[in-house]
Amino acid sequence: MLTAEIRRRFLAHFENAGHTAVPSAPLLFDDPNLLFVNAGMVPFKPYFLGQETPLWDRAVSVQKCVRTGDIEEVGKTTRHGTFFQMCGNFSFGDYFKAGAIEFAWTLITGSVDDGGFGFDPDKVWVTVLHSDDEARQLWKDIAGLPDERIQSRGLLDNYWQMGVPGPGGPASEIYIDRGPEFGPDGGPIVDEDRFLEIWNLVFMQEEITNVTAKDKFDVVGPLPQENIDTGMGLERVAYLLQGKTNMYEIDEVFPVIEKASEITGRKYGADPIDDVRFRVIADHVRSGLMLMGDGVTPGNEARGYVLRRLLRRAVRSMRLLGYEDPALPQLLPVSLDRMKASYPELEADFPRIEKIAYAEEDAFRQTLGKGTQIFESAASAIKNTGGSSLPGDQAFALHDTYGFPIDLTLEMAAEQGLTVDEDGFRALMTEQRARAKADAKSKKGAHADTSIYRSTLDAGGPTEWLAYSTLTTESRVLALLAEGVDVPAISAGTVGEVVLDRTPFYAESGGQSADAGHITWDGGRAEVLDVQRPVRGLVVHQVRVLEGELTRDQNVEAAVDPEWRLGARQAHSGTHVVHAALREVLGPTALQAGSYNRPGYLRLDYGWSGALSPDQLHGVEEASNRALRADLPVTAQTMSLQEARDFGALALFGETYGEDVRVVEIGGPWSRELCGGTHVDRSSQIGTVVITSDGSVGAGNRRIEALTGIEGFDYLARERDVVRQLTDILKAQPGEVPGRVQDLLERLKTAEKAVESAKAAQLLGAAGDIASAAKDVNGVAYVGHRAEGANGGDVRTLALDIRGRMPKDKPAVVVVIGTADDKPSTVVALNEAAQAKGLSANTFVGLVGEKLGGRGGGKADVAQGGGTDVSAIPAALAAVEGALGA
């Protein structure tokens, strides 16, 4: 049974049972505790925590998930994969244990002809919490399972909670017996390879607190309503139903292994080490495809770094299999072909995805070359000093800076006859992971902090939000908060939070900054600093009270600053216009990947590799302003999410949308996007669009910045003033300014070259005198010279010229240190007689680097390096002399 068919059957089974099918949330789900969605219940977390009211009593989903904590184990086990799909059914105060058990049992053991999975009931085992006698009895009553196939476990295995105060409850896990060839008998408590878990049913029934570990917490009492949260691993079910022994051989993954085997000439199944590499490739290519499909682009931080690591591990594994050519163009289309059945949007978006992926591989291939040079330099220095092991910090630097996994470094070291300090490397990796975990832990509990807002919402009801229709409202204060605590009043000079029964203020979302303005009342006034929606339905205003005292139940006037709102509308509509203009000039793959706008300013990130040419940038700006001149109508309408997709509206990466969405059009289909922001009525009201910059924000991702409205005109006026000043200085017409400036630059370059030539001649002229002043140190002619103001090129030229003037039959060591820009640069040059004596320039440049606070490298005859401490030059020269005399 194909994976897509298993997925379809799961959804159909629960839809037929009255569940609403909820589309998978993007992997970039907005959760402060997570880089990516890592479990099927994550999009439903606000409902389980009581922060929001569920939209349904019953729901079902197949959620895209990514976990990278065990990335080093990928390919080594049958289960570890970075991307997976979690099938789940959810009940919010509707059915409970009996319903969850019955739904699961009928699906897994139901006949294939009737839409089930067809597992043999005699192969099914379950576990329950040791104290959950109710679940044990239900399994006996509903499924007819005997006692020996219902095993009890403790809190560590069969209790679910989030690690923070909130809901929790016992869990019941479903296992399939794969047979004696996979391990000993005795059920999952004996062997979890033979008895493979496929489904976890969570019975959410208790409120817990004082959580210190998975099995250490206090139970406050029963929840107001009992909920069900389940998770069935789609890939696990697939490899069982497809008769495979691991997830890498299912229909959605194995074709990539087959392609990798074909182009590398290595056979899968012939070598255990190669098999791990094949599995890493297949897993990481699929994960990379799904991440890029949800808008992640490679980078050096957070989500972008995870994607970069996945793609580079895949490329590196192909290299270890002997394939040196670009690999992703061969592999990524194969993964697309398997995944598009479940995620058809990938095919439509593939031109953008492949552009990002292939650019990242090209960048890695170049980085690989640079990193290899660094490694070879380090290896040469180690061998020249008689060492045999690459230090752990250098292996870590290769990993952290150049993306070299440790096994690549180990392979390269072995080729050089070296070992690697793996313990030192892993200690540094552990420190890095500990810092990351500590950072993540510091963010935990963000969800629990919204309880005050949820209480406020329950007490006063949702805020009547009128930002689309008015700039002022007569309102009543429902609640006042200070430092997360409900307070009766906020006095002058104090910053606090205000909840009103109705408001005209736009709350920050969708890239648009919050409105500014004031709240006034009889005898008082407060400045609105920020506006947010901490929970669905509630608008919270952060204010600074300027006069008087603001109290609960106070009648107030809430007024948005009209100039601020006008500028915000111009900037947000301008963002849509620039997005449409980018697609018009560059093509449909130039899709927005993020945005931010405030009055008069917009910033738009978009998928594209390579800098825009001046003509392209001008074309985007011209297309934008042509749209303004055309005075296009700007309209908004609300429809279902599916209707919006059918309508051709663009959705933004990483955004989560509800059942109904708002579609904003500028000029009809020219710009049609899902958007909840405020906009002008016609495009001409934007005023102008002035692009001020375009730059890279990571491989395959760029950022364009622009000004709109009066801010755009002010920018152009300043530019005009600069041109006017230049025409006055140069005594030229505006059109002549570029030519005149170019001419001045050419003349300046010529003068600089003349100065450099004169300086070089002066340095070389002194070479003879410097050589003749060489010291005899232990039978070696030694020159240690400080060249004031000399840069790296001058230093190298001088050192080689001095060496050429030294006697050929006597060992000679020349050290020249330049001081250009107050930074020392070193060149060490040895003649053949010195090398024959066993001396090496590499050794001496290392001594100099230690003193100067830098490092260096090269060959036995010439080596060069740098540093940071000019004051240490005398000590550095003395160190070389001391080493010669030792």
Side-chain angles (χ1 to χ4, degrees), residues 355-434:
K355 184 176 293 185
I356 293 170
Y358 303 162
E360 175 62 19
E361 180 171 9
D362 288 342
F364 180 49
R365 287 163 64 84
Q366 295 175 19
T367 298
L368 196 62
K370 295 177 183 176
T372 300
Q373 291 178 1
I374 298 297
F375 172 83
E376 289 177 348
S377 175
S380 177
I382 291 166
K383 288 193 287 188
N384 285 334
T385 57
S388 61
S389 179
L390 183 75
D393 60 342
Q394 293 187 24
F396 179 77
L398 283 167
H399 165 84
D400 206 42
T401 305
Y402 295 100
F404 276 41
I406 185 61
D407 45 357
L408 178 59
T409 303
L410 288 167
E411 177 201 25
M412 295 172 64
E415 291 172 355
Q416 296 273 2
L418 300 173
T419 60
V420 177
D421 175 15
E422 292 187 64
D423 291 340
F425 168 82
R426 297 194 189 285
L428 290 168
M429 286 293 295
T430 299
E431 289 178 17
Q432 186 185 64
R433 289 187 183 120

Side-chain angles (χ1 to χ4, degrees), residues 760 764 767 792-802 827:
L764 294 176
D794 295 333
V795 170
R796 185 179 182 87
T797 300
L798 180 58
L800 294 179
D801 192 41
I802 294 172
V827 172

Side-chain angles (χ1 to χ4, degrees), residues 526-602:
E527 175 188 10
V528 176
L529 305 175
D530 191 17
V531 189
Q532 298 290 332
R533 293 178 183 268
V535 296
R536 189 194 300 267
L538 194 73
V539 178
V540 177
H541 311 73
Q542 185 187 61
V543 304
R544 178 186 290 110
V545 176
L546 303 177
E547 302 171 19
E549 183 178 65
L550 184 58
T551 60
R552 191 185 296 119
D553 294 323
Q554 178 81 53
N555 291 320
V556 301
E557 179 184 76
V560 176
D561 182 338
E563 285 296 314
W564 180 279
R565 172 66 71 81
L566 173 60
R569 294 167 66 204
Q570 290 174 320
H572 202 151
S573 297
T575 304
H576 286 228
V577 165
V578 171
H579 188 200
L582 275 167
R583 299 196 310 277
E584 180 179 312
V585 172
L586 302 180
T589 61
L591 287 173
Q592 179 176 331
S595 69
Y596 170 74
N597 54 78
R598 62 174 187 266
Y601 168 84
L602 68 89

Side-chain angles (χ1 to χ4, degrees), residues 598-682:
R598 62 174 187 266
Y601 168 84
L602 68 89
R603 182 184 75 211
L604 187 147
D605 295 346
Y606 61 100
W608 197 255
S609 57
L612 270 61
S613 69
D615 286 345
Q616 287 174 319
L617 208 56
H618 176 73
V620 173
E621 189 174 65
E622 183 180 4
S624 299
N625 284 292
R626 275 194 283 102
L628 271 56
R629 187 175 66 178
D631 195 28
L632 301 174
V634 181
T635 60
Q637 54 183 312
T638 300
M639 60 185 73
S640 72
L641 181 57
Q642 188 56 52
E643 287 174 334
R645 287 171 173 158
D646 295 341
F647 193 46
L650 295 175
L652 301 186
F653 295 119
E655 291 289 332
T656 303
Y657 300 99
E659 293 286 302
D660 294 322
V661 294
R662 184 168 178 259
V663 178
V664 174
E665 291 183 285
I666 301 178
W670 186 73
S671 172
R672 183 177 286 160
E673 300 186 21
L674 303 188
C675 180
T678 61
H679 290 273
V680 297
D681 298 318
R682 304 191 69 85

Side-chain angles (χ1 to χ4, degrees), residues 314-338:
V315 171
R316 182 264 310 172
S317 294
M318 288 295 290
R319 177 185 181 277
L320 295 178
L321 290 171
Y323 192 75
E324 299 287 348
D325 294 332
L328 293 181
Q330 298 284 339
L331 303 175
L332 202 62
V334 177
S335 188
L336 168 71
D337 187 60
R338 305 313 301 173

